[in-house]
Amino acid sequence: MDTDKPGAMRRSAPSGAAKVATGDMPAAPPMRDPKAKHPRPPFKAQSQPWPGLAGKMDPKPDHGETSYKGSGRLLGRRALITGGDSGMGRAAAIAFGREGADVAINYLPDEEPDAQEVAEWIRAAGRKCATIPGDLRDEAFCRRLVDQAARELGGLDIVVNNAARQQTHASILDISTEQFDWTMKTNIYAPFWIIKAALPHLEPGAVIIGTTSEQAYDPSPDLYDYAQTKAATMNYIKSLAKQLGPKGIRVNGVAPGPIWTPLQVSGGATMEKLQEFGGHTPLGRPGQPAELAAIYVQLAAEDASYANGQIYGASGGSGQP
Ligand code: NAD
Ligand code: MG
């Protein structure tokens, strides 16, 4: 059998394989217990006016600022990330920069301090960072955001629809039409407007990533409006993957479990839930945004070329997918 043909089975390693496998790798880092790696509940009672700042949380979330190591997986790619100032979006933005991508981040004007820190980390990695504040509930702004990101980065290859609104309400009776509309506009309409504006920029090989949630599959009683938007996100990822796959554009999603981010301390969770946040999971703690950064990188990277319409989870052991 000719073992050098693609798809053929090779039983002995080709010469030089050991060098490729272990090459100049540094010493193995010690294994760490995932339960003990990050803060565990109980957490201090805390709340911030929406949308909240990562820099004011206690403990401060870990977005991989001092830990994420890149290896050129996204070299030369151009990415737009909504909600790129904090939480999962910030972890993805820092990781993308360290993997060699230029990054545009969108956020709300009140989040400028968080956004500037992200820009500094990306520039420290030697990449471009465009900071584009604005409210995603406005269709015209969504179009301007995409155009400005493409103009400043010289094109667009990766679009991450990550921003979202989450407010806890014990009863459906407590949700006003205005609140309901706010959640729908941010979480469902904005990705719709952004993807429509981005498509003319996206070439075969480009990727779209949406942040959904375990709430898409197992909604909490106090997140009536939010949870259904996450189900919609999961669903648009799967329909668009079928629509855009034939054009060579992959569409995938990330479904976090409980993650320590500003969204939770600015109305997203009750104080009781926040103080015990993540304690119910098999790992006994919430996740940190840094622990999801590699998932966004993986979905965006060329070597994940068969991942399309997939939802990758990170929930500490309970929840879906
Ligand atoms: P986060 O607060 O750090 O990020 C959310 C971002 O959304 C904000 O930083 C803000 O910039 C942006 N945003 C909200 N409304 C906006 C608007 N009208 N215009 C522009 N930007 C707006 O919190 P996060 O938890 O990192 O959230 C990121 C994503 O993760 C969201 O899609 C959220 O639904 C999802 N998620 C979070 C959790 C969790 O436990 N934290 C769990 C599952 C899914
Ligand atoms: Mg924020």
Side-chain angles (χ1 to χ4, degrees), residues 5-296:
K5 275 196 186 142
M9 265 212 301
R10 180 189 280 283
R11 292 208 169 75
S12 60
S15 59
K19 191 158 185 288
V20 174
T22 53
D24 298 320
M25 284 185 191
M31 273 208 298
R32 291 174 66 188
D33 182 343
K35 303 192 302 300
K37 211 172 152 186
H38 290 291
R40 303 167 67 84
F43 294 104
K44 278 189 201 147
Q46 58 196 287
S47 77
Q48 295 184 40
W50 181 86
L53 289 175
K56 288 193 174 160
M57 288 177 69
D58 181 14
K60 283 207 173 91
D62 181 351
H63 311 90
E65 286 90 344
T66 60
S67 57
Y68 192 89
K69 289 191 181 68
S71 56
R73 295 187 73 192
L74 301 176
L75 202 57
R77 295 288 194 271
R78 299 151 304 183
L80 167 62
I81 305 176
T82 65
D85 59 300
S86 58
M88 264 65 82
R90 174 179 179 136
I94 292 171
F96 282 14
R98 293 198 187 153
E99 295 291 356
D102 293 328
V103 185
I105 58 168
N106 161 253
Y107 49 92
L108 288 157
D110 286 347
E111 299 175 302
E112 196 63 46
D114 276 353
Q116 284 307 323
E117 287 181 14
V118 176
E120 278 173 36
W121 284 115
I122 292 171
R123 288 168 194 149
R127 305 308 308 193
K128 215 183 263 180
C129 181
T131 52
I132 313 176
D135 193 327
L136 294 173
R137 288 175 296 165
D138 176 356
E139 179 174 4
F141 171 72
C142 286
R143 283 199 301 263
R144 278 205 309 279
L145 167 65
V146 170
D147 288 347
Q148 188 176 335
R151 202 168 52 245
E152 290 198 36
L153 305 183
L156 218 45
D157 311 302
I158 303 166
V159 177
V160 183
N161 285 300
N162 166 75
R165 165 105 170 156
Q166 174 186 322
Q167 296 284 297
T168 172
H169 290 107
S171 165
I172 186 173
L173 299 174
D174 301 333
I175 304 175
S176 66
T177 298
E178 190 208 359
Q179 279 295 330
F180 188 82
D181 195 53
W182 191 333
T183 306
M184 297 299 144
K185 282 273 157 41
T186 313
N187 301 7
I188 298 183
Y189 279 75
F192 167 62
W193 292 326
I194 288 172
I195 292 167
K196 284 199 345 177
L199 270 179
H201 298 281
L202 302 183
E203 310 241 311
V207 302
I208 296 170
I209 299 171
T211 305
T212 171
S213 169
E214 61 179 3
Q215 292 290 326
Y217 308 87
D218 186 13
S220 298
D222 63 325
L223 295 174
Y224 168 81
D225 53 345
Y226 170 82
Q228 60 186 282
T229 68
K230 295 287 128 177
T233 302
M234 179 269 287
N235 194 277
Y236 91 62
I237 287 161
K238 289 185 177 289
S239 81
L240 267 190
K242 292 176 186 156
Q243 190 183 121
L244 300 181
K247 298 185 194 306
I249 298 170
R250 296 184 295 115
V251 188
N252 292 293
V254 181
I259 313 296
W260 189 245
T261 70
L263 169 144
Q264 300 291 356
V265 302
S266 60
T270 60
M271 197 56 74
E272 302 75 62
K273 188 170 167 187
L274 195 66
Q275 287 178 280
E276 291 306 319
F277 200 58
H280 68 285
T281 69
L283 296 184
R285 64 166 178 87
Q288 293 293 325
E291 297 180 281
L292 287 84
I295 302 177
Y296 289 87

